[in-house]
Amino acid sequence: MNASFADMLRKASESPKALSVPELARLLAAEDEGERRALHAAAYAVKVRHVGRRVSVRGLVEAGNVCAKDCLYCGLRRSNAAVARYSLAADEILHVAEVAKARGYASLVIQSGEVESDVHTRFVEDVLRRIAPLDLGVTLSLGEQTEDVFRRWKDAGASRYLLRIETSDPAYYAKLHPAGHDWKRRVACLETLKRLGYQLGTGVMCALPGQTPEMLARDIAFFGEIDADMLGMGPYIPHPDAPLGVAPEAPDDAARLRLGLDLIAVARLHLHDVNIAAATSLQALAPDGRERGLLAGANVLMPNLTDVQWRAGYQLYPGKPNLDESAEDATAALERSVASVGESILWNARGDSPHFRRTMR
Ligand code: 5AD
Ligand code: SF4
């Protein structure tokens, strides 16, 4: 490791947002295992300073795979006729929420494809009102919506929203999405969510064809500019029924995983006190991918609590792990995986983003 790399790590560890975009890009292009070990160790130390060796958990419910979008990388894109579409009934979502609560999850993430309609808005409102007595921290990940819809869902009990920007580069966004997908609207949604007082989550994929370390560095700077409270980032995994495909120089699984871990580490070093999830796609690339995410600076895990009968229907990418794992097994596996890296789970705690708590004071 050369001296300037070590200097950058020191500077970034001392205070948030200390590095320029070229410096962030240099960290993302770590050249050997020595540099990468130092990068991860520095990020881990920053994490421990802010949240300790403790992992916040959220129960994930995949509420439906119907989607109006046609993202070129995603297995659930509306043009993929091979997918059997499903939508959980309100009772089924409520049931998962009750299971989550009984198992010690104090937070729930409700995720689905993007649907914009009055019926859907009212459905989600109804679900949120019925979940409210359980007193869970509720995150929605339901795509782009109007300000009115975001407000209604907040009034009905949601407190956090995840909407990955996918890339902070509008021209690159246009390469990853067909016509009718509007980067500006996505940014406007993030700004609206922030203004409405949601804890704001965003993120990007890495290892995409044509993506460079400079682009990922700008993405990380963007997370700071939009004042994100939470991040979800993971490697792109090519889907056979999605047209984005792979470039000739495509990285192998090991390289995708490496980049996913480095991205977490550099984001932690740049933003310090945000919640960072170890994405499931890390686990799809290696059995211990999640644990390695924790050691690179992530502090949130989101085990899937959706009934196993629906799991195969929600495949953004192939090789999704835990297709037949029950909620009970997921919880036990989680305990083991977190203990294996010397950390412990914060059961019965909402695990709000420290960044949000600090900036909202
Ligand atoms: N590989 C990895 N992640 C994907 N996503 C969508 N398709 C893929 C894929 N093929 C991610 C997107 C989206 C999130 C829900 O899943 O970033 O925002
Ligand atoms: Fe729909 Fe999300 Fe897949 Fe895009 S990434 S097609 S919005 S489910």
Side-chain angles (χ1 to χ4, degrees):
M1 181 172 50
N2 65 30
S4 73
F5 196 87
D7 276 350
M8 283 190 283
L9 293 183
R10 210 168 306 119
K11 190 159 74 161
S13 302
E14 275 165 18
S15 44
K17 301 187 181 173
L19 299 186
S20 66
V21 166
E23 287 172 320
L24 295 170
R26 171 66 184 88
L27 293 185
L28 285 164
E31 274 157 14
D32 55 43
E33 278 310 300
E35 284 191 351
R36 296 189 61 246
R37 265 199 303 276
L39 169 66
H40 293 198
Y44 192 74
V46 169
K47 167 182 113 163
V48 170
R49 219 160 67 214
H50 286 281
V51 299
R53 289 175 205 272
R54 284 187 290 269
V55 180
S56 291
V57 287
R58 290 90 178 75
L60 172 68
V61 47
E62 292 163 340
N65 64 1
V66 178
C67 190
K69 284 276 175 80
D70 222 9
C71 308
L72 299 178
Y73 41 82
C74 178
L76 298 188
R77 63 199 304 268
R78 73 163 177 251
S79 305
N80 186 6
V83 177
R85 306 285 168 170
Y86 75 89
S87 302
L88 296 193
D91 283 350
E92 292 172 300
I93 301 175
L94 189 64
H95 176 71
V96 180
E98 284 164 349
V99 167
K101 178 80 181 183
R103 293 192 185 285
Y105 292 88
S107 289
L108 190 74
V109 178
I110 303 175
Q111 184 161 64
S112 78
E114 192 168 305
V115 178
E116 284 192 82
S117 74
D118 285 346
V119 171
H120 180 66
T121 300
R122 266 184 272 117
F123 172 80
V124 173
E125 247 175 345
D126 173 52
V127 167
L128 288 167
R129 294 229 153 87
R130 291 173 62 190
I131 287 176
L134 294 172
D135 194 29
L136 296 162
V138 179
T139 308
L140 297 180
S141 179
L142 307 176
E144 295 167 25
Q145 302 288 339
T146 63
E147 174 164 348
D148 180 54
V149 172
F150 288 143
R151 188 179 291 114
R152 283 169 59 181
W153 289 346
K154 182 138 196 306
D155 290 345
S159 55
R160 310 164 176 160
Y161 207 99
L162 297 175
L163 184 71
R164 289 189 179 177
I165 188 65
E166 313 295 1
T167 169
S168 61
D169 178 334
Y172 189 55
Y173 188 89
K175 294 208 169 102
L176 300 176
H177 302 89
H181 293 50
D182 182 358
W183 181 84
K184 284 209 180 86
R185 184 185 190 217
R186 220 162 165 83
V187 176
C189 284
L190 293 175
E191 288 166 350
T192 301
L193 288 161
K194 191 81 202 179
R195 185 160 37 79
L196 292 176
Y198 277 95
Q199 289 181 51
L200 180 66
T202 191
V204 295
M205 288 174 284
C206 59
L208 285 158
Q211 193 184 41
T212 62
E214 288 70 27
M215 292 163 97
L216 286 169
R218 277 197 297 275
D219 292 339
I220 292 173
F222 173 88
F223 303 153
E225 286 153 20
I226 204 89
D227 200 18
D229 301 295
M230 325 182 282
L231 296 177
M233 302 168 293
Y236 164 60
I237 301 176
H239 192 292
D241 297 325
L244 187 65
V246 284
E249 75 291 356
D252 60 13
D253 280 3
R256 286 180 196 284
L257 177 63
R258 259 200 314 274
L259 188 53
L261 298 173
D262 293 353
L263 182 61
I264 288 173
V266 178
R268 173 63 72 195
L269 278 171
H270 193 59
L271 298 172
H272 283 212
D273 60 358
V274 295
N275 272 344
I276 302 181
T280 312
S281 67
L282 295 172
Q283 200 190 355
L285 292 171
D288 62 349
R290 283 194 303 194
E291 293 84 333
R292 292 167 70 181
L294 297 176
L295 292 173
N299 69 312
V300 172
L301 293 175
M302 306 191 338
N304 195 348
L305 303 185
T306 314
D307 192 287
V308 290
Q309 66 171 309
W310 306 114
R311 298 251 181 125
Y314 206 92
Q315 298 205 57
L316 304 159
Y317 48 82
K320 178 184 178 185
N322 310 327
L323 282 182
D324 55 1
E325 184 189 52
S326 68
E328 196 169 343
D329 294 345
T331 306
L334 199 68
E335 284 280 8
R336 274 196 308 278
S337 86
V338 169
S340 76
V341 292
E343 301 207 339
S344 59
I345 297 177
L346 279 166
W347 291 113
N348 300 302
R350 285 192 181 202
D352 287 316
S353 162
H355 180 77
F356 182 79
R357 276 188 268 127
R358 192 172 58 74
T359 50
M360 295 309 282
R361 235 177 249 148

